[in-house]
Structures are given as structure tokens and as C-alpha cells.
Amino acid sequence: MLHRTLFLAPLSAAALAAAALVPLAASAAGEYHFAPTEAGVERYPDHLRQDPSRDKVVAELETAQKQPAWNAVSRGAPWPASRAGQPATREAVEAEAIKAMREGTIPSGER
């Protein structure tokens, strides 16, 4: 029993230390880092990620704004699905639904 306790104590201490350091590693990826001063943070501009440039983001925004659905999408509506091929007729959709109900792939009161 003592052997198990001596083995688990350092292992659990190492796991606890690793868990405590994870948030610090995540915060080091940003422009601001924690500092034990009155301000609480220090700014490191060279750590700022500049993946997409402002020009690229503005160009993508202008392209999106030219889409016909932009007016609705910019207010929270989902992008409309693009149509592929000819739309199905009402009779074809009803026949497909009845077939699926009889096969049991969609629930129905009719079998």
C-alpha cells in the first residue's frame, strides 16, 4: 500500500502542475501577456498574428456583399442552398415520400 502511495503522489503532483500551466501557455499566443505588475498585462506587438491582411479581409467582405443573398444573410439568415439541376415536381416528391414511408426510412402513420 505504501509503495502505491509513493508512486501516485509524484504522478498526481505532475498532472496538477501540467493542468495549472495549460492556461498560461494558451495566453502566450496573443499580443498581451500576464504581468505581475499594477497594470496586469504587458503588450508584445511582435506576438500579434497577422494571418489575413486587412486588404484581404476587405476584399472578401466586398465579394460577399455582392452576393444576391447578402441583405438577408447580414441580418442573421442562413445562406441559401444552391440548386443543383431541375427542381422536382410535386408528384415526384409525394411519390418519394410515400415510398420512404412504406420502406420505414421516415416515420408515418401509413404503411
Side-chain angles (χ1 to χ4, degrees):
M1 184 74 170
L2 180 63
H3 177 65
R4 188 181 320 164
T5 305
L6 291 176
F7 175 72
L8 290 178
L11 187 63
S12 61
L16 182 64
L21 292 176
V22 167
L24 296 176
S27 69
E31 179 180 9
Y32 293 93
H33 300 287
F34 169 77
T37 61
E38 188 174 331
V41 295
E42 289 182 15
R43 183 172 182 261
Y44 295 92
D46 54 324
H47 292 185
L48 179 64
R49 290 182 47 190
Q50 304 242 350
D51 288 339
S53 67
R54 176 171 171 73
D55 297 333
K56 181 179 178 186
V57 172
V58 169
E60 289 177 359
L61 176 63
E62 289 172 354
T63 303
Q65 287 175 337
K66 291 177 184 173
Q67 299 291 326
W70 174 257
N71 194 27
V73 172
S74 66
R75 287 165 178 73
W79 281 99
S82 60
R83 294 186 180 195
Q86 293 287 358
T89 63
R90 178 181 289 279
E91 292 78 22
V93 172
E94 288 174 352
E96 185 180 343
I98 290 172
K99 179 182 175 191
M101 286 183 231
R102 288 189 178 139
E103 291 174 352
T105 54
I106 61 173
S108 165
E110 174 185 328
R111 292 217 181 239

